[in-house]
Amino acid sequence: MNQHISPTGTGYSACPHDCPSTCALEIDISGGRIGRVRGSSGNSYTAGVICAKVARYGERANHPDRLTQPLRRIGPKGEGAFAPISWDEALDEIAERFKAAESRHGAESVWPYYYAGTMGLVMRDGINRLTHAKGYSRFFSSICVNPAWGGFMAGTGKLAGPDPREIGKADLVVIWGTNPVATQVNVMTHAIRARKERGAKIAVIDVYRSPTMELADIPVLIRPGTDGALACAIMHVLFRDDLADRAYLARYADDPAGLEAHLATRTPEWAAAITGLPANEIEAFAHAIGRTPRTFIRAGYGFTRSRNGAVNMHAVSSIATVAGLWQHEGGGAFHTNGAIFRWNKQMIEGLDIPGIAARRLDQSRIGDILAGDADALLGGPPVSAMLIQSTNPVSVASDQDRVRAGFAREDLFVAVHEQFMTETARMADIVLPATMFTEHDDLYQGGGNQYVILGPKLVEPPGECRSNHDVVCALAPRVGAEHAGFHKSSREIVDWTLQATGRGTVDELEAARFLDVQPDFETAHYLKGFNWPDGRFHLKPDWASVPFSRPDKAWAHAPMPEWPDHWDVIEEATAEFPFRLVTSPARSFLNSSFTETPSSTKREKRPELMIHPEDAAALGIADGDLLRVESPRGAVLLHARLFDGVRRGVVVAESIWPNRAHEGGRGINSLTGADPVAPFGGAALHDNRVRITRQG
Ligand SMILES: Nc1nc2c(c(=O)[nH]1)N[C@H]1C(S)=C(S)[C@@H](COP(=O)(O)OP(=O)(O)OC[C@H]3O[C@@H](n4cnc5c(=O)[nH]c(N)nc54)[C@H](O)[C@@H]3O)O[C@H]1N2
Ligand SMILES: Nc1nc2c(c(=O)[nH]1)N[C@H]1C(S)=C(S)[C@@H](COP(=O)(O)OP(=O)(O)OC[C@H]3O[C@@H](n4cnc5c(=O)[nH]c(N)nc54)[C@H](O)[C@@H]3O)O[C@H]1N2
Ligand code: SF4
Ligand SMILES: [Mo]
């Protein structure tokens, strides 16, 4: 297995982090340790560029605080007193506790919980094989993508679009609700290329003057959760000023006349009152789009993390149809490429196991679930045992006060498999040390690009670290789970998956390093039709027919709008909570990852609240003051940073700092809510009403 490891040289891999760029990497290895990391220049999407935090990955991989031994809690929950134990002791104890939970309340009282700390398909999703083999409670993953993916598919019927490298061939690049300078740097590589080579303009739609908006030719600063209104006004102007592509619409859209009639009242003045953006700026932006056939709309996740997020994503993608952008090279709307990879995941996830029927518990509602909320438990038994891999819910999940109370339950057994002693690991009964991506074999797919990349094992792990796959396989016989995947190495599973999907073998992929699976131009641009039975883009979405995974239990919410619109279900400011809070990602962290690396925390300085100077003056707040920020759910302490790059009434806290980095020890997600976004679930992380008071 380890014939690929050489103690010195260059290793080839993929960035494993939860980032749409999925960069192809070249890694310096010396003395069996990783050093400098570079972006592969032979990969046409990465194009030699990666972010600063991964370029200095040695700092994270060779960190003195890495977990290297299994640990058992020896003090009260959460206090952080642990003693080393052997792997056998740790695995036996987990298995005993899982079996005890199963015999008391049934297999559904065990809830394996994971997320995207690694995006490797085997290491991330292999835990589902254990879940399915045992009939444990399944995992409804919802925290990140659901409003965005479902909203995009409502129009196109498919989660794919024009080749993201075509950004470099656009004349207008519209970066909508994403902050790629911080969150997916390669979008900027291609956008800047278009600017340099073609004189393209870059428009950025955000709720604060983000590092990306700093570089924009057309900065579009709006209030949070109002993208639907902006999109509607843009389409109103396109129809009104004869910039809509009526021939294209007649051929490719469901009901353009219905949309035009609906939009008659969605004027720039109407949208100005909702978005805070002056009507003349809306007109000018609409004209720029309408007069630039090669307009590439790169829609991100940020603007969908609101209670109306799915509706807003559909509205934004509709602009590409009204203006007929999809027809042109360098034109159209792109969000992500989930649909083009078509993996056979049977071996990874055990999808051939009969009767995968257990309830699916909602990731985002972990606080409610651990609190025993009957609705969140879908009427089933309480959760009394968990294995957590590749995620840090005590920091990243909404409704943090409930999450923390849940993890403090004496009758809950928790094993956390981690690289560092995260705030979730601190709450565990058993902590298991995990490998990093250079220490195991895995397979990666691009989200914001079209590559399949191999990440082979390049170095030996420190201490006794084991991979997610090895832990799942070691637990399986102990709890009586059976499947062929438990008897294969991760490299063999990668090989099986590639072959079963018709993508060659692992050895071939290793020789090639990555594989470009971009569909042909006509397919990618929907020139053969959109992915609905009528072949048309659905301007009037039928949410019930969108082929996207939904929660097992629907919840009561206002009826969704029939057409693109401003859906007024966001957490609007009130007299009691007069501000709207957004928790945009910090540049040097990746969710809660990299908060352990000193250079990242140094760059980010301290947890702060960006507030407009006039709002600050009205509250008697000076730069640097300690503020108490309260939402209907909880409170945190943040230092004021006066910043005129937000609209009045909007505040931004770049995230996610460790909870303990805040004075008072409560993290930003004490403020955010876990109530699901309609209709596919997900957390409205950027949709919060808050009040602000000066502390002392
Ligand atoms: N440095 C860094 N990189 C990251 C991450 C990180 O935490 N830090 N997270 C990774 C993960 S898991 C993901 S999913 C991606 C997400 O990457 P993105 O798609 O960029 O999404 P977000 O990070 O949620 O937010 C992006 C931007 O949306 C803005 N925004 C918030 N609400 C609204 C709104 O209502 N309208 C508009 N127009 N804009 C709004 C925010 O201010 C922010 O600048 O990034 C990945 N990359
Ligand atoms: N307020 C607010 N909250 C947010 C967001 C926001 O914008 N604002 N963003 C949300 C989004 S988009 C997401 S995706 C979630 C993400 O939340 P998480 O999925 O929890 O992401 P990370 O915080 O990066 O934590 C991943 C953890 O996995 C560990 N890890 C990495 N690789 C491995 C491995 O191979 N094996 C094991 N066992 N562990 C590993 C890392 O050490 C790290 O602690 O957070 C969400 N929370
Ligand atoms: S930009 Fe994203 S994919 Fe690329 S190295 Fe940085 S975190 Fe990884
Ligand atoms: Mo995410």
Side-chain angles (χ1 to χ4, degrees), residues 11 13 30 190 196 297 330 350 376 390 452 508 517 611 616:
S13 191
S30 118
H190 299 281
K196 275 202 188 126
I297 301 176
S390 320
V452 170
E508 286 164 6
V517 300
I611 180 168

Side-chain angles (χ1 to χ4, degrees), residues 18 60 390-392 396 417-419 468 583 592-593 669:
D18 188 1
R60 187 165 192 273
S390 320
T391 182
N392 185 12
V396 307
H417 188 196
E418 249 300 344
Q419 296 163 339
N468 291 7
T583 62
S592 75
S593 297
N669 281 310

Side-chain angles (χ1 to χ4, degrees), residues 17-21 51 53 115-116 119 143-145 175-184 204-212 220 222-227 230 298-306 308 312 335 580-593 604 652 654-656 685-687:
H17 286 283
D18 188 1
C19 167
S21 278
C51 65
K53 53 194 180 303
Y115 205 57
M119 293 289 277
I143 204 165
C144 178
V145 303
I175 297 177
W176 199 309
T178 171
N179 179 10
V181 165
T183 64
Q184 45 170 336
V204 175
I205 298 93
D206 206 304
V207 298
Y208 80 126
R209 198 168 63 231
S210 67
T212 307
V220 182
I222 61 172
R223 289 199 193 108
T226 66
D227 303 80
L230 175 59
R298 181 60 177 82
Y301 289 99
F303 77 101
T304 70
R305 306 198 196 288
S306 283
N308 57 7
N312 291 350
H335 171 58
R580 298 262 298 137
L581 166 76
V582 174
T583 62
S584 314
R587 182 166 181 172
S588 309
F589 301 147
L590 198 145
N591 305 318
S592 75
S593 297
E604 297 297 332
V652 176
E654 289 184 335
S655 301
I656 305 173
L685 297 157
H686 300 328
D687 183 2

Side-chain angles (χ1 to χ4, degrees), residues 43-64:
N43 180 293
S44 59
Y45 189 75
T46 304
V49 178
I50 59 169
C51 65
K53 53 194 180 303
V54 170
R56 49 177 196 263
Y57 211 80
E59 196 186 343
R60 187 165 192 273
N62 308 318
H63 198 295

